[in-house]
DNA sequence: AGCACGCCGACT
DNA sequence: GTCGGCGTGCTC
């Protein structure tokens, strides 16, 4: 029976491939007033009519057979939370990134506003014992649990935990049919404050010895007490992992009263308690003023232009951003400022807060769901004019967007590693053209892609060549470590660097030492048989971590005690090779016993507030030498730092990735830029095994132009981005042979299609399949195919990937294999 | 995802 | 015979 209905076309909030399509629901007459396009609604879904949240993408009148459709249950919102423009963007994203609808939607709307269905069970017939046959064991068990818990309404999960069988679902349903129990649905908000559990020692340090004697043989309990004595308050799960134990021993020491556990709200917000210091307005230099004027003009004209501000480190890009934001606000518009990672760029964020105070929303990774939602609401209700945040802030729902600023544009953190694998600059460009906003890309070392765009004219280039306040760029000295070795120095510090560090200590100046490897040694190998200790889940060599004497896998986090004999041949010639920040720290301690040393890497900053703590004491001069990884390369501005030592960049340089040289150049420039920020000229010592490499030579001269010329030539030669677009298709699975065979099969199928489309030089277009650079992660073997759009059309390649792995996934992708597609990947590994 | 259906082996 | 385990398929 066909008749006319009002139909809502919705996307259900269920992240799976099978449900990644539009579903039609009838809007019942009584809801037609309340429901419009862009709203969220509750719909019954699937056989069990599970209640799901759904997003309405379209509303239509249709002639359909009403009996084959379900009705919308209720509206969640009072008005649309997705604008017409945003719905278009979701469709665009799905096609561009080959992601699911719901994944695109969740970029725009924070999750977890309404709880997914929760079944609540209510016992209504107290006299059930007379009605249930004695043989119905399951039914009885469930009812007994309900009764034991004092009647009332119980969530289904509680019952599942209490009874010792699965499949309680049908039993529940039967009981409900008998009207002995009642099933209710709870859709209440589940926004909770995120908490973490901490353990704290309850006895004094002196008393610990006595307590340990009292514990006698309880080894694990003693370990816990010692650990807490050394480390202070500690997050329990992290501690238990560290000590390789479980809750048992912990519970024992808690019951004996030696340790206390406490729940604490996760609130790593680095700005929650910091007072806002107003930052003096600097007078722009003529160079800066010119940039400000030109961009202000575009802002007034509402032109969707993109500017690349290429300014050497310390050239005052932040001041330009501040002025442009002022301009935008004075026009009644709003702005987004993206930074690579909020906790690593506190100084930039503070300057914005100092200038604009309360009208700012901060979006960062450690907000709880609730806090994120609150900020999101504030933004969408127009209560803020400026949003500062990392990558995802580019989606901030500002209604009158005037400008999007992407600071440190070249940073890899702007590319999402999860679906949808977008780059913040791509989203910014899209919003720019659709909302009439100006995009500003800022960097001392622009990405090749962006700089190339200024050459072909789609992006305007603005160059800042001077540092204001007379400070000069630091001098960079390259030290050839091969020669150092030939001359008998086997250490990781060159003689030159040692001398300079010593001098700096005498002169009460501060030093930064940069090493891109954390841990103690970078790999463990046996001199006898050459065996290298690798993680048992991943194809990654394990890194030694002290003082726990653990080997750690930096990919999956697996730990084991470091072996004293070779696990392969049993000889005792096991060696710890390569140096990480921990070993560097130890060496520096030995070389300069009077120096105060700080270390900053993922391991030393895992506890909350430790970032700010280390940087604070460095600023106050309580640390002479700061050792760190990538983390110290960004945005730090300490005037008393005159020496920067770059221990090695060879690992980055030799990355199996066409961006290796670019990443190296960026790294050197960013790290070197930490020196000589004050009045005195800075000096950078750059140690390398390959001093003649062009990215080392050009970086040491601060010559981006020459680096660019050299690198762009190579990219053109080998047809790499920006001259081509890449799609990387990654396959993974538990069985190596199966994944390899599947990758081979799919490569052949793609080749066949390419051939059919008249594609020439197919072996240049499809690379692989190859084992991924990291061939195994978490017990899954990985293979890769790369598609490159030379001699062919990018949309054809995307179309092929979409056909096999998205649209006809069921047919072409077996359940045992996971496929992940990345268009224009940043990381080739 | 998560539920229902359906097929097959173990047990009253 | 029947219960319950898991493989397969569908969700407006």
């Amino acid at each position: 029976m066909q008749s006319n209905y009002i139909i809502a076309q919705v996307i259900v909030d269920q992240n799976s491939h099978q449900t990644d399509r539009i579903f039609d629901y009838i809007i019942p007459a009584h809801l037609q007033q309340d429901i419009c396009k862009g709203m969220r609604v509750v719909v019954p879904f699937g056989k069990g009519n599970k209640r799901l949240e759904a997003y309405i993408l379209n509303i239509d009148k249709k002639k359909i057979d009403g009996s084959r459709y379900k009705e919308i249950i209720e509206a969640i919102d009072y008005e649309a939370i997705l604008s017409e423009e945003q719905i278009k963007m979701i469709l665009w994203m799905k096609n561009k990134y080959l992601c699911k609808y719901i994944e695109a939607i969740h970029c725009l709307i924070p999750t977890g506003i309404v709880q997914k269905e929760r079944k609540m069970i209510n016992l209504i017939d107290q006299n059930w014992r007379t009605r249930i046959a004695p043989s119905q064991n399951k039914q009885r068990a469930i009812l007994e649990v309900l009764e034991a818990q004092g009647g009332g309404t119980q969530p289904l999960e509680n019952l599942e935990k209490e009874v010792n069988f699965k499949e309680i679902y049908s039993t529940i349903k039967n009981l409900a049919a008998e009207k002995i129990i009642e099933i209710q649905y709870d859709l209440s908000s589940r926004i909770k404050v995120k908490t973490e559990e901490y353990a704290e020692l309850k006895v004094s340090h002196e008393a610990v010895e006595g307590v340990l004697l009292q514990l006698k043989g309880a080894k694990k309990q003693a370990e816990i007490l010692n650990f807490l004595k050394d480390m202070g308050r500690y997050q329990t799960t992290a501690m238990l992992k560290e000590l390789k134990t479980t809750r048992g021993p912990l519970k024992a020491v808690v019951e004996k009263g030696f340790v206390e556990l406490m729940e604490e709200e996760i609130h790593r917000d680095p700005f929650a308690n910091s007072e806002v210091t107003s930052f003096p307005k600097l007078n722009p230099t003529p160079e800066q003023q010119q940039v400000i004027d030109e961009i202000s003009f575009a802002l007034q004209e509402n032109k969707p232009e993109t500017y690349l501000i290429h300014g050497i480190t310390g050239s005052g890009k932040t001041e330009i951003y501040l002025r442009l934001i002022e301009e935008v606000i004075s026009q009644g518009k709003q702005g987004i400022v993206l930074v690579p990672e909020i906790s690593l760029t506190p100084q930039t964020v503070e300057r914005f807060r100092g200038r604009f105070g309360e009208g700012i929303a901060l979006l960062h990774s450690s907000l709880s769901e609730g806090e994120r939602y609150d900020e999101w609401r504030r933004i969408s209700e127009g209560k803020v004019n400026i949003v500062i945040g990392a990558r995802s802030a580019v989606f901030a729902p500002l209604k009158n967007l005037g400008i999007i600023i992407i600071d440190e544009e070249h940073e890899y953190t702007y590319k999402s590693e999860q679906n949808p694998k977008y780059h913040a600059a791509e989203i910014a460009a899209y919003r720019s053209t659709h909302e009439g906003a100006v995009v500003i890309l800022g960097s001392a070392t622009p990405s090749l892609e962006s700089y190339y765009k200024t050459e072909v004219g789609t992006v305007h280039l603005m160059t800042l060549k001077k540092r204001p306040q007379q400070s000069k760029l630091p001098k960079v000295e390259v030290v050839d470590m091969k020669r150092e070795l030939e001359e008998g120095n086997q250490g990781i510090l060159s003689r030159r660097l040692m001398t300079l560090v010593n001098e700096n200590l005498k002169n009460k100046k501060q030093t930064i030492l940069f090493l891109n490897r954390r841990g103690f040694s970078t790999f463990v190998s046996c001199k006898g048989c050459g065996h290298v200790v690798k993680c048992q889940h991943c194809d990654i060599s394990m890194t030694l971590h002290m003082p726990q004497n653990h080997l750690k896998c930096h990919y999956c986090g697996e730990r084991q005690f470091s072996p004293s004999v070779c696990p392969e041949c049993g000889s005792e010639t096991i060696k710890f090779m390569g140096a990480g920040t921990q070993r560097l720290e130890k060496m520096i301690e030995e070389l300069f016993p009077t120096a105060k040393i700080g270390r900053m890497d993922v391991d030393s900053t895992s506890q909350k507030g430790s970032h700010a703590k280390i940087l604070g004491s460095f600023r106050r001069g309580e640390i002479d030498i700061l050792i760190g990884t990538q983390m110290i390369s960004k945005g730090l501005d300490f005037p008393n730092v005159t020496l920067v030592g770059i221990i090695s960049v060879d690992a980055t340089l030799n990355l199996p990735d066409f961006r290796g040289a670019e990443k190296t150049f960026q790294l050197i420039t960013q790290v070197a830029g930490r020196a000589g920020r004050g009045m005195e000229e800075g000096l950078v010592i750059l140690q390398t095994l390959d001093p003649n490499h062009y990215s080392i030579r050009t970086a040491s001269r601060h010559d981006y132009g020459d680096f660019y010329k050299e690198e762009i030539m190579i990219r053109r030669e080998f047809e790499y981005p920006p001259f081509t677009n890449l799609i990387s298709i990654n396959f993974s699975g538990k069985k190596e042979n199966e994944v390899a065979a599947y990758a081979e099969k799919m490569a052949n199928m793609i080749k066949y299609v390419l051939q059919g489309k008249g594609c020439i030089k197919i072996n240049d277009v499809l690379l692989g399949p190859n084992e991924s650079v990291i061939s195994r992660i978490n017990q899954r073997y990985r293979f890769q195919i790369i598609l490159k759009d030379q001699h062919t059309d990018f949309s054809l390649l995307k179309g092929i990937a979409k056909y096999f792995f998205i649209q006809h996934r069921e047919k072409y992708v077996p359940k045992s294999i996971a496929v992940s597609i990345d268009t224009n990947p940043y990381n080739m590994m």
Side-chain angles (χ1 to χ4, degrees):
Chain A
M1 277 305 280
Q2 301 257 312
S3 54
N4 275 316
Y5 286 95
I6 311 265
I7 293 293
Q9 303 192 298
V10 308
I11 301 300
V12 291
D13 193 353
Q14 174 135 261
N15 192 358
S16 90
H17 287 290
Q18 285 90 268
T19 52
D20 179 40
R21 58 193 174 90
I22 288 171
F23 288 94
D24 291 347
Y25 280 88
I26 294 167
I27 306 179
H30 70 278
L31 285 177
Q32 281 168 13
Q33 296 294 317
D34 307 333
I35 285 179
C36 72
K37 193 172 167 178
M39 264 187 187
R40 286 167 311 163
V41 290
V42 179
V43 296
F45 191 76
K47 303 243 167 81
N49 283 334
K50 198 163 99 92
R51 294 160 149 240
L52 282 185
E53 226 175 298
Y55 296 81
I56 301 181
L57 295 195
N58 201 16
I59 289 181
D60 208 4
K61 235 186 213 154
K62 259 195 195 167
K63 212 176 170 110
I64 50 147
D65 173 4
S67 65
R68 299 177 59 189
Y69 292 76
K70 292 178 186 174
E71 290 186 355
I72 286 176
I73 295 170
E74 59 179 337
I76 292 172
D77 302 303
Y78 297 112
E79 54 187 46
I81 62 162
L82 287 170
S83 66
E84 198 79 38
E85 206 51 75
Q86 285 178 308
I87 291 174
K88 273 190 206 144
M89 182 153 139
I90 288 162
L91 302 177
W92 169 79
M93 280 175 74
K94 176 172 169 60
N95 186 47
K96 181 168 172 76
Y97 301 110
L98 307 178
C99 66
K100 290 166 218 148
Y101 285 107
I102 198 67
E103 288 169 332
I105 290 171
H106 281 317
C107 289
L108 296 157
I109 309 289
T111 57
I113 296 173
V114 173
Q115 185 182 36
K116 310 263 153 63
E117 173 184 79
R118 246 179 117 201
K119 281 201 174 72
M120 304 295 288
I121 311 299
N122 191 14
L123 181 59
I124 46 177
D125 187 353
Q126 305 301 330
N127 299 321
W128 56 268
R129 280 174 206 279
T130 57
R131 296 176 55 193
I132 307 278
S135 61
Q136 296 283 3
N137 289 330
K138 290 198 169 182
Q139 297 193 357
R140 288 187 163 261
I142 286 172
L143 291 165
E144 270 160 20
V145 171
L146 278 173
E147 215 169 54
Q149 286 173 340
T153 311
Q154 294 291 327
L156 187 64
E157 309 100 81
N158 282 9
L159 284 180
E160 275 168 344
K161 270 182 235 152
E162 295 294 328
V163 278
N164 57 359
F165 47 86
K166 290 194 288 179
E167 320 248 319
I168 66 174
Y169 206 83
S170 50
T171 322
I172 294 279
K173 227 174 96 180
N174 291 337
L175 284 172
E178 297 282 329
K179 297 252 189 292
I180 293 171
I181 61 164
E182 185 180 39
I183 303 172
Q184 296 165 351
Y185 298 96
D186 179 6
L187 260 177
S188 60
S189 166
R190 79 165 157 185
I191 295 174
K192 277 184 292 195
V193 200
K194 269 192 198 165
T195 59
E196 257 174 11
E197 192 186 45
Y198 284 86
E200 195 174 61
L201 204 56
K202 271 296 162 204
V203 289
S204 68
H205 279 202
E206 298 75 50
V208 168
E209 290 300 322
V211 171
L212 288 180
L213 284 175
Q214 206 181 315
L215 287 173
K216 289 181 213 142
K219 217 174 121 206
K220 283 291 174 193
Q221 296 180 31
E223 272 179 40
I224 291 173
L225 292 182
N226 274 324
F227 185 89
L228 289 172
K229 188 181 145 201
D230 295 341
M231 310 297 281
R233 244 170 71 83
Y234 214 84
Q235 209 229 313
T236 48
T237 46
M239 175 178 73
L240 295 176
K241 213 173 169 188
E242 202 77 42
L243 296 174
K244 285 208 152 189
T245 180
T246 53
R247 293 195 77 86
L250 178 63
K251 228 174 142 187
V253 283
V254 170
E255 269 162 22
K256 288 171 193 163
F258 304 140
V259 172
E260 190 176 41
L261 300 181
M262 55 199 80
E263 287 284 329
E264 197 163 294
E265 195 179 321
I266 300 179
H267 207 79
R268 275 168 295 190
D269 181 353
F271 310 98
N273 303 315
S274 72
E275 75 248 50
V276 180
T277 47
S278 71
F279 199 86
K281 234 175 160 167
L282 302 169
N283 278 331
T285 61
E287 205 183 32
Q288 291 173 335
Q289 192 60 51
Q290 209 186 329
V291 175
I292 295 167
D293 289 345
E294 186 167 341
I295 300 175
S296 295
F297 182 72
L299 281 171
Q300 279 151 20
E301 304 281 305
N302 271 331
K303 283 187 181 162
E305 303 280 1
T306 302
Y307 293 85
L308 172 64
I309 303 181
H310 175 210
I312 56 171
T313 53
S315 59
K317 288 187 290 288
T318 311
E319 186 59 32
I320 294 179
Y321 304 154
L322 290 164
R323 297 277 172 158
L324 292 173
I325 293 277
E326 274 177 0
E327 174 68 34
V328 164
I329 290 175
S330 75
Q331 290 173 23
K333 293 189 283 191
Q334 299 154 325
I336 296 174
V337 181
L338 300 182
V339 292
E341 209 201 302
I342 277 209
S343 60
L344 295 184
T345 48
Q347 287 169 332
T348 311
V349 178
E350 254 164 55
R351 280 180 73 175
F352 274 91
R353 299 219 320 165
R355 190 72 64 86
F356 299 106
E358 289 310 304
I360 296 185
L362 273 181
L363 294 176
H364 55 88
S365 54
S366 48
L367 292 180
S368 69
E369 272 181 7
E371 289 167 321
R372 185 173 300 276
Y373 180 63
D374 289 344
E375 287 296 76
W376 184 84
R377 270 285 175 224
R378 274 179 70 216
I379 298 164
S380 72
E381 283 165 6
K383 288 182 179 151
V384 298
N385 290 321
I386 305 165
V387 177
I388 302 182
R391 181 177 64 226
S392 61
V394 75
F395 294 104
L398 292 166
K399 299 263 152 62
N400 194 6
L401 190 62
I403 196 167
I404 302 176
I405 295 170
I406 307 184
D407 190 26
E408 308 290 353
E409 160 274 332
H410 61 276
E411 281 290 335
Y412 65 96
T413 51
Y414 289 125
K415 166 87 183 177
S416 171
E417 292 286 315
Q418 271 145 33
N419 273 338
K421 293 178 177 161
Y422 65 92
H423 192 291
E426 295 163 344
I427 306 297
Y430 181 92
R431 292 194 72 174
S432 163
T433 47
H434 289 79
E435 297 171 49
V438 167
V439 176
I440 309 290
L441 308 171
S443 176
T445 52
S447 63
L448 266 266
E449 279 92 337
S450 298
Y451 205 82
Y452 180 71
K453 280 184 195 154
T454 69
E455 284 196 333
V456 294
T458 50
V459 172
H460 307 278
L461 178 64
M462 314 250 104
T463 313
L464 298 172
K465 294 197 180 77
K466 298 194 190 91
R467 280 183 161 185
Q469 301 164 337
Q470 280 95 48
S471 70
K472 276 195 254 158
L473 277 175
K475 203 174 146 228
V476 181
E477 263 182 52
V478 180
V479 175
D480 182 350
M481 290 306 279
K482 254 192 235 149
R483 211 155 112 204
E484 200 75 10
L485 190 65
E486 281 163 18
E487 291 170 9
N489 177 10
Q490 298 190 355
I492 52 170
L493 284 191
S494 62
R495 291 159 296 177
R496 174 75 175 143
L497 185 54
M498 273 193 266
T499 319
L500 288 166
V501 172
N502 209 10
E503 260 174 43
N504 237 28
L505 280 173
K506 273 188 209 142
N507 297 334
K508 302 263 177 268
K509 294 286 176 196
Q510 288 173 301
T511 302
I512 289 179
L513 295 179
F514 171 83
L515 180 57
N516 211 6
R517 280 293 172 93
R518 62 200 173 89
F520 196 83
S521 76
T522 47
F523 61 99
V524 184
S525 86
C526 168
K527 271 216 161 161
C529 67
H531 173 75
V532 174
V533 180
K534 288 191 172 180
C535 170
Q536 52 179 316
H537 309 295
C538 315
D539 182 42
I540 289 285
S541 50
M542 308 269 288
T543 305
L544 179 66
H545 280 245
M546 298 297 269
Q548 306 95 328
N549 203 28
H550 276 157
L551 296 183
K552 225 190 227 178
C553 169
H554 285 182
Y555 263 82
C556 69
E558 166 76 17
R559 293 150 209 255
Q560 61 180 73
F561 274 103
S562 94
S564 51
V565 295
C566 173
E568 199 65 21
C569 69
S571 76
E572 286 178 17
T573 51
I574 197 126
K575 279 267 183 187
F576 300 98
M577 317 285 285
T581 44
Q582 284 187 353
R583 171 176 284 187
L584 182 61
E585 185 184 17
K586 195 158 170 246
M587 285 184 52
I588 298 290
E589 269 168 15
E590 284 162 9
L591 284 166
F592 310 103
T594 56
K596 282 159 284 171
I597 299 162
R599 178 165 61 90
M600 196 160 145
D601 54 32
V602 181
D603 306 303
S604 72
T605 55
S606 57
Q607 278 201 284
K608 77 177 184 185
S610 43
H611 252 114
K613 219 163 154 185
I614 298 172
L615 290 180
S617 53
F618 193 54
R619 178 182 308 281
R620 290 188 298 274
E622 294 159 16
I623 292 174
D624 302 314
I625 302 171
L626 181 66
I627 294 168
T629 54
Q630 294 270 35
M631 231 178 236
I632 57 169
S633 68
K634 288 173 202 139
L636 305 184
D637 193 346
F638 298 110
N640 202 30
V641 175
T642 55
L643 177 65
V644 167
I646 301 176
I647 306 302
S648 166
V649 284
D650 296 304
T652 316
L653 195 56
N654 297 316
L655 231 45
D657 181 339
F658 70 89
R659 274 187 251 262
E662 184 183 359
K663 287 175 184 174
T664 309
F665 183 89
Q666 287 164 353
L667 202 58
I668 297 172
T669 309
Q670 300 292 332
V671 177
R674 304 306 120 219
R677 291 235 157 194
M679 284 303 147
E680 248 168 288
E681 193 180 350
L683 180 60
V684 178
I685 298 298
L686 170 52
Q687 305 187 149
T688 174
L689 293 167
D690 194 359
N692 288 320
H693 192 283
Y694 65 91
S695 72
I696 303 268
R697 277 189 288 113
T698 52
S700 70
R701 295 200 307 266
H702 305 291
D703 193 339
Y704 179 82
D706 270 9
F707 168 75
Y708 175 78
K709 270 184 224 149
E710 192 91 24
E711 180 69 14
I712 202 82
M713 220 169 67
I714 293 171
R715 300 279 180 96
R716 186 178 273 128
E717 182 94 1
F718 290 96
E719 303 262 8
Y720 275 123
F723 299 100
T724 50
N725 293 291
L726 305 180
I727 299 176
S728 113
I729 306 173
N730 298 278
F731 307 102
S732 71
K734 298 227 180 233
K735 291 187 194 134
E736 189 174 11
N737 299 342
E738 191 191 0
V739 185
Y742 176 72
E744 190 69 46
K745 183 180 120 196
M746 291 320 291
N748 287 333
M749 282 178 92
I750 294 170
K751 279 184 192 166
Y752 182 78
V753 177
L754 285 170
Q755 214 160 28
K757 296 279 178 187
C759 179
I760 51 159
K761 291 195 188 166
I762 286 174
N763 288 334
D764 287 347
V765 176
L766 187 147
L767 311 174
N770 290 312
E771 211 170 40
S772 302
V773 177
I774 299 161
S775 65
R776 189 162 55 122
I777 293 181
N778 262 324
Q779 302 279 43
R780 297 183 72 88
Y781 293 88
R782 307 165 78 232
F783 286 79
Q784 187 180 45
I785 292 175
I786 307 251
L787 300 177
K788 194 154 120 184
D789 68 343
Q790 68 188 102
H791 330 293
T792 180
D793 192 25
F794 189 49
S795 58
L796 169 67
L797 299 183
K798 231 167 62 180
I800 294 173
K802 200 167 151 184
Y803 181 85
F804 284 125
F805 304 115
I806 307 286
Q807 288 163 333
H808 301 93
R809 182 176 274 264
E810 286 103 288
K811 202 155 134 203
Y812 293 108
V813 186
K815 286 211 169 100
S816 54
I817 293 199
V819 180
S820 130
I821 301 171
D822 193 343
T823 56
N824 288 322
Y826 177 81
N827 214 329
M828 302 303 292
M829 287 145 72

